[in-house]
Amino acid sequence: QKEVEQDPGPLSVPEGAIVSLNCTYSNSAFQYFMWYRQYSRKGPELLMYTYSSGNKEDGRFTAQVDKSSKYISLFIRDSQPSDSATYLCAMSGGGGATNKLIFGTGTLLAVQP
Amino acid sequence: DAGITQSPRHKVTETGTPVTLRCHQTENHRYMYWYRQDPGHGLRLIHYSYGVKDTDKGEVSDGYSVSRSKTEDFLLTLESATSSQTSVYFCAISDRAGGYTDTQYFGPGTRLTVL
């Protein structure tokens, strides 16, 4: 079983829809949670960063972490065609010289105009 | 974009030939990473560096070596390329400012095809 599981999609939604992207994980030591967005043939870019449980909002994007359920989510409100990309979750335990990020496999999102 | 460049951006080579990919950063970040990205596997860590001449193995290091002689450059070498190393390779950097998490910033990637 992978440490981080992510539904690969593809997920197709109409413009203006609310999108929910999710990851589950098995390692209870994870404390830092990130969402990256990757456009086709580009490098991943950091979208959201959250520490421990709770919500974080940035414009149309909201990241949620539920450590008790080992479940994280990214919500996109009023989705736009420009949001069409692959969304990768990533997480780490934090601290230490050898601490590393563990990535999900990514969810491909298509927002139809 | 973070100041990260990768070269070459595309390369086609033959099985058995050596290949070196270069990552160059202008951010003076201490940590540098090499990943490969394949369908169904996501991003997998090959090697990373936590300082000049300080490197360590990642999840999929077999067949790869790295070197870091300067803060700004991190080289990934495939000593004898195989078709299973056909992939997209990404370099990432991190400064772990304030002791916080390993938030990483990625380069544009190198698309490598081994025939």
Side-chain angles (χ1 to χ4, degrees):
Chain A
Q1 183 187 4
K2 293 180 179 178
E3 276 191 289
V4 178
E5 299 279 358
Q6 185 174 10
D7 187 334
L11 181 62
S12 181
V13 301
E15 183 175 354
I18 296 175
V19 177
S20 172
L21 304 167
N22 312 293
C23 287
T24 59
Y25 62 95
S26 57
N27 189 341
S28 58
F30 289 149
Q31 298 183 74
Y32 299 89
F33 304 91
M34 281 141 278
W35 286 95
Y36 284 80
R37 178 175 61 196
Q38 185 176 21
Y39 291 114
S40 181
R41 294 182 174 265
K42 301 289 187 183
E45 57 178 331
L46 183 65
L47 192 60
M48 298 283 284
Y49 155 73
T50 311
Y51 170 68
S52 193
S53 286
N55 293 1
K56 185 173 183 178
E57 188 173 321
D58 183 3
R60 297 185 294 111
F61 298 89
T62 299
Q64 285 187 351
V65 175
D66 182 348
K67 291 187 69 181
S68 63
S69 300
K70 296 189 179 68
Y71 188 88
I72 69 170
S73 300
L74 177 70
F75 296 96
I76 307 174
R77 293 184 298 279
D78 186 26
S79 56
Q80 302 295 310
S82 59
D83 295 326
S84 298
T86 296
Y87 290 80
L88 302 156
C89 63
M91 47 199 79
S92 72
T98 59
N99 177 58
K100 295 178 287 291
L101 283 181
I102 307 298
F103 286 86
T105 53
T107 299
L108 178 61
L109 171 67
V111 181
Q112 308 298 333
Chain B
D1 292 343
I4 312 170
T5 57
Q6 292 185 232
S7 58
R9 295 293 315 279
H10 302 271
K11 185 171 183 67
V12 179
T13 191
E14 293 189 351
T15 298
T17 60
V19 176
T20 296
L21 309 183
R22 180 181 183 237
C23 177
H24 178 77
Q25 60 144 330
T26 57
E27 306 295 325
N28 200 36
H29 283 359
R30 178 181 175 188
Y31 299 89
M32 299 185 75
Y33 308 82
W34 276 109
Y35 290 90
R36 59 178 291 174
Q37 188 174 38
D38 305 286
H41 292 281
L43 284 160
R44 292 182 290 174
L45 183 64
I46 305 171
H47 281 281
Y48 66 100
S49 170
Y50 46 96
V52 174
K53 298 190 189 303
D54 292 323
T55 65
D56 206 348
K57 296 179 180 180
E59 179 188 1
V60 290
S61 59
D62 286 350
Y64 302 94
S65 62
V66 291
S67 65
R68 191 171 179 198
S69 58
K70 298 185 289 184
T71 299
E72 58 266 34
D73 289 326
F74 193 32
L75 304 180
L76 176 71
T77 297
L78 291 66
E79 301 290 348
S80 178
T82 68
S83 58
S84 64
Q85 293 175 312
T86 292
S87 186
V88 181
Y89 291 86
F90 287 101
C91 173
I93 64 174
S94 170
D95 63 356
R96 296 193 189 168
Y100 293 123
T101 188
D102 195 8
T103 302
Q104 297 177 18
Y105 301 91
F106 285 81
T110 294
R111 191 169 295 269
L112 176 67
T113 302
V114 183
L115 301 176

